Amino acid sequence: MLDGIDLNVAEGTIFALLGPNGAGKTTTVQILSTLIGADGGDVCVAGHDLGRDPDAVRDAIGVTGQFSAVDNLLTGEENLTLMADLRHLERTEGRRRTSQLLDQFDLVEVSKKPAGTYSGGMRRRLDLAMTLVGDSRIIFLDEPTTGLDPRSRRTMWQIIRELVAGGVTIFLTTHYLEEADQLADQIAVLNHGRLIARGTPDELKRLLPGGHIRLRFNDPQGLEAAARVFGESTRDDDSLTLEIPSDGGVRSLRALLDQLDSTAIEVGSLSVHTPDLDDVFLSLTGQPDNEKESVR
């Protein structure tokens, strides 16, 4: 059950919805894509009221679910042609769109082969291509890379980035936190049907303490001088490093550099360390450590 969700997704961006199993991610996608009705509230998708004009919403969106909608007995080309027919495209336009998508998703060489012979990555690319037959403005991707190998996953990421560069809006749910970190402009975390956090990946990471800036020095004298300037720090004489608590933001980094410059302290190297999305996710949702693998 969803409880008081308030979302505003900017056009031409990637919005990621995260949450543990059963949090309500798929239910949210199903409501927004008109697959199931909402018990209450106001929903507007692509400028259309979901309750009053669901057909206009369906014309503007595409949905790629957790499970492939590809017909394994048909060829890749036939799957796309079938989708063009379901979208009521004229025959010439349907052929043009099919050819364009086969080329865009690097499926031309296998277009005449049954989809059942495709690799998992190829089937997923075909599935997404079918979603795009109607020139959708908004695409809902519900865990689009589940089960793909790392190479296929990164290929899918590149395709998603290219779609957004072309003006498409992506609404993404995923269990791969690295995926959200790599792709999303905005992330929302859903738990027990309620939104518990929202922001950019960097903003969410800064919600947790433990971030720091690590300074590495070329000699003990530099380390000693910096340790005197930055009282709240962790010093390691063996590695000639000093860890200074920081949120990792530009403002705090600039302030630190100004202090180093004003005291003429030479630094060999500098690195910024902040909690990752795994840490944020586990902290916000209360997932125990032994469940970490299940939420990736």
Side-chain angles (χ1 to χ4, degrees):
M1 179 181 294
L2 302 177
D3 182 11
I5 291 182
D6 185 9
L7 295 176
N8 183 18
V9 179
E11 185 176 1
T13 64
I14 301 176
F15 182 91
L17 187 62
L18 306 181
N21 290 329
K25 301 186 302 299
T26 296
T27 300
T28 301
V29 170
Q30 289 176 334
I31 291 173
L32 295 176
S33 59
T34 77
L35 294 177
I36 62 175
D39 295 331
D42 298 316
V43 183
C44 183
V45 179
H48 305 288
D49 185 277
L50 191 65
R52 291 196 294 266
D53 200 357
D55 286 341
V57 172
R58 294 185 192 110
D59 285 341
I61 68 172
V63 181
T64 298
Q66 295 182 29
F67 305 102
S68 174
V70 170
D71 188 323
N72 288 329
L73 298 179
L74 299 180
T75 67
E77 185 178 47
E78 289 168 343
N79 269 283
L80 288 169
T81 300
L82 174 61
M83 187 58 63
D85 290 341
L86 292 174
R87 282 283 192 170
H88 304 294
L89 299 184
E90 294 184 357
R91 187 172 183 181
T92 301
E93 174 60 17
R95 287 179 176 176
R96 184 198 68 79
R97 189 69 178 137
T98 294
S99 177
Q100 177 188 1
L101 289 168
L102 287 171
D103 181 62
Q104 180 180 355
F105 286 83
D106 195 22
L107 293 170
V108 174
E109 291 186 4
V110 296
S111 63
K112 304 294 185 181
K113 297 180 180 179
T117 66
Y118 290 10
S119 67
M122 287 179 180
R123 277 198 300 274
R124 210 56 175 141
R125 295 206 306 273
L126 177 59
D127 197 20
L128 182 53
M130 291 167 63
T131 302
L132 291 169
V133 165
D135 276 331
S136 303
R137 293 168 49 197
I138 300 172
I139 299 177
F140 293 93
L141 300 179
D142 194 7
E143 301 183 24
T145 63
T146 297
L148 297 187
D149 62 75
R151 182 185 298 274
S152 297
R153 181 173 296 122
R154 291 184 180 276
T155 298
M156 185 64 74
W157 291 356
Q158 184 57 36
I159 289 172
I160 291 171
R161 291 187 182 106
E162 290 171 356
L163 291 173
V164 174
V168 174
T169 303
I170 301 291
F171 191 105
L172 169 74
T173 74
T174 180
H175 274 170
Y176 295 102
L177 302 184
E178 181 193 7
E179 184 163 88
D181 200 0
Q182 288 282 334
L183 294 177
D185 299 292
Q186 288 279 322
I187 294 174
V189 182
L190 191 65
N191 196 32
H192 299 299
R194 302 187 67 181
L195 284 179
I196 57 175
R198 179 172 176 175
T200 67
D202 286 341
E203 287 170 344
L204 292 182
K205 292 172 192 176
R206 289 198 290 269
L207 292 176
L208 295 186
H212 62 270
I213 297 174
R214 179 179 297 159
L215 305 178
R216 186 180 301 276
F217 299 88
N218 296 323
D219 53 60
Q221 291 75 24
L223 173 60
E224 180 65 33
R228 288 196 298 267
V229 172
F230 303 101
E232 295 183 7
S233 58
T234 302
R235 174 175 173 171
D236 187 330
D237 288 88
D238 292 334
S239 62
L240 294 179
T241 59
L242 194 69
E243 293 184 358
I244 303 166
S246 171
D247 63 4
V250 172
R251 181 174 297 177
S252 59
L253 180 58
R254 184 182 293 117
L256 181 143
L257 292 174
D258 287 342
Q259 281 185 282
L260 290 171
D261 186 57
S262 65
T263 53
I265 297 175
E266 293 291 332
V267 177
S269 64
L270 177 152
S271 56
V272 178
H273 300 262
T274 58
D276 61 20
L277 278 185
D278 288 59
D279 300 320
V280 175
F281 185 95
L282 295 173
S283 174
L284 291 174
T285 64
Q287 294 285 86
D289 291 342
N290 61 7
E291 291 187 20
K292 186 172 182 178
E293 289 301 319
S294 70
V295 299
R296 285 187 171 180

